[in-house]
Every structure is written in structure tokens, then in C-alpha cells.
Amino acid sequence: MTTTGARETVLARIRDALALAPVPGPEIPRAYRTGRTLPDDERLTLLTDRLVDYKARVHPCTADRTAEAIAAILRERGARRIGVPDGLDERWLTAYEGEVQRDSADIPAPSLDALDAVVTASAVSCAETGTIFLDGSPDQGRRALSLVPDVHVCVVDLSSVVVGVPEAVARLVPERPTTLISGPSATSDIELERVEGVHGPRTLAVVIRTDA
């Protein structure tokens, strides 16, 4: 049998199988609980509680102190060379005295391991689960940038913090790549001993801008 003949045979069998396939089942109701809200201070408290429980480090500040907060974290971690998405707000780095590498697709992902830390923005955060969503926007960058360096400093605007998962998903663009972060990377070995840094940064520092 020729290659063309084999292809037609396979496609014909697929068409026959589809014709004999059962009718799709009933539509699944998706009446999720949505639209929940909480005052700013309660959302901040809930998100902070969840993040701390996940062993993340939380640094609330006002928007005009963003650069100082980021620089203090990087100084504490001894970060001399950091990576940032190409679209990150330059004003956030004015207090940092080390080397800054603007990321691009031309930089091989393995080489990001040479960075001491990465600083990104965020798309939305879920207070109830303590989850931060990155969507690959210019100020958040590609997924590798937030996963390879050992320290991730993530800036969250309180206005982007919602109560639950349905509210968070409703703010996302389905076509964009989404990375979900709930604390620093961690897993457990066979003896249930916690091991950090296996699948991403061992340290997650979250700067929450309370008036942004």
C-alpha cells in the first residue's frame, strides 16, 4: 500500500468512527459563585496570610516606595545581577545599584540561572488561595524568566487582588500563557520532607502596593 493510500485509509476510518460516535452529552452547568468582593484591607490581610503560610515573604508598601522596597529585598538577598522583563517599569529599579539584564527571547533559558534574582509585575492575584497569576505581558515576561532564577521578586497591585479563583480567571485573557504561583517552588520527597527550589525559585518575595 502506498503512503497516500495508507493515509486515505486512516482518514476514512476516522471519519467512520466520528459518524458512529455517540451524541455529545448534556451541557454541564457552570453556575460558579462569582463576583465576590471584600474591602481592600480584608483582601490584603487574606492574601498576606496565605502567602506567608506558603513561606513567601510579603512586603506591603505604597506605590511611591516601590523602588525602595525592591532594592531592600535585593540587597538583603545579595543580588548583584538581576533579570527583568523588557517591559518592566524602569522607575521600579532606580534604587537598585546592581546590574540589570533586560530579558529577550534571544537569551537562552539555561543562562538565566546565572542571575541572582528576577523582578516582575503580575496580572492578577487570588486572595483566597494565595495565588499570583502571570500572563506573559511585557512587564511579566516569559515563563522561564520567573522560573529559572533562584529568587523571584513579584510586584502585586492591591487593585489587582480579587477574592476567589473565578474572579481571577475572569480577569485573564484565555489566549495568553498563564503561570500560577502559590509561594516559592517546593515539593516533598518520599519521606515527606519539604524540598524547595525543585521546579522554580526557592525564594518568593511579594511587594504589595497598597494604593495601586
Side-chain angles (χ1 to χ4, degrees):
M1 182 181 294
T2 65
T3 302
T4 302
R7 178 176 179 274
E8 291 304 321
T9 299
V10 171
L11 291 176
R13 289 178 179 176
I14 292 174
R15 285 191 289 268
D16 291 342
L18 291 175
L20 296 173
V23 177
E27 183 178 350
I28 300 174
R30 301 189 184 278
Y32 302 124
R33 181 175 58 177
T34 60
R36 289 179 295 160
T37 61
L38 285 173
D40 286 354
D41 58 338
E42 293 185 28
R43 296 198 326 278
L44 174 60
T45 299
L46 183 58
L47 177 62
T48 300
D49 176 75
R50 296 295 190 268
L51 289 170
V52 170
D53 189 51
Y54 294 147
K55 301 187 183 301
R57 305 180 183 190
V58 181
H59 305 265
C61 71
T62 54
D64 61 343
R65 303 296 296 272
T66 305
E68 294 177 27
I70 292 174
I73 295 168
L74 296 173
R75 190 180 308 113
E76 178 187 358
R77 304 303 304 176
R80 299 180 179 179
R81 184 167 179 257
I82 67 170
V84 301
D86 191 49
L88 192 76
D89 192 334
E90 295 182 356
R91 294 171 297 180
W92 293 3
L93 305 174
T94 53
Y96 175 63
E97 298 177 350
E99 179 185 349
V100 177
Q101 174 179 291
R102 291 273 172 181
D103 192 42
S104 74
D106 297 330
I107 299 175
S111 70
L112 298 174
D113 190 46
L115 300 172
D116 297 317
V118 58
V119 180
T120 74
S122 58
V124 63
S125 297
C126 174
E128 198 168 58
T129 63
T131 304
I132 300 171
F133 295 72
L134 309 185
D135 68 0
S137 293
D139 58 358
Q140 296 157 52
R142 55 178 170 159
R143 181 167 293 156
L145 182 63
S146 62
L147 294 180
V148 176
D150 199 43
V151 177
H152 182 188
V153 181
C154 187
V155 179
V156 171
D157 289 346
L158 185 56
S159 62
S160 71
V161 178
V162 297
V163 177
V165 172
E167 291 82 14
V169 172
R171 291 198 178 192
L172 297 172
V173 178
E175 294 78 17
R176 301 196 66 84
T178 304
T179 301
L180 280 63
I181 302 171
S182 294
S185 170
T187 188
S188 297
D189 62 18
I190 195 171
E191 296 180 350
L192 299 183
E193 292 290 335
R194 180 182 172 94
V195 180
E196 297 179 345
V198 177
H199 309 296
R202 284 183 295 178
T203 300
L204 173 65
V206 183
V207 176
I208 303 179
R209 308 202 307 167
T210 56
D211 59 345

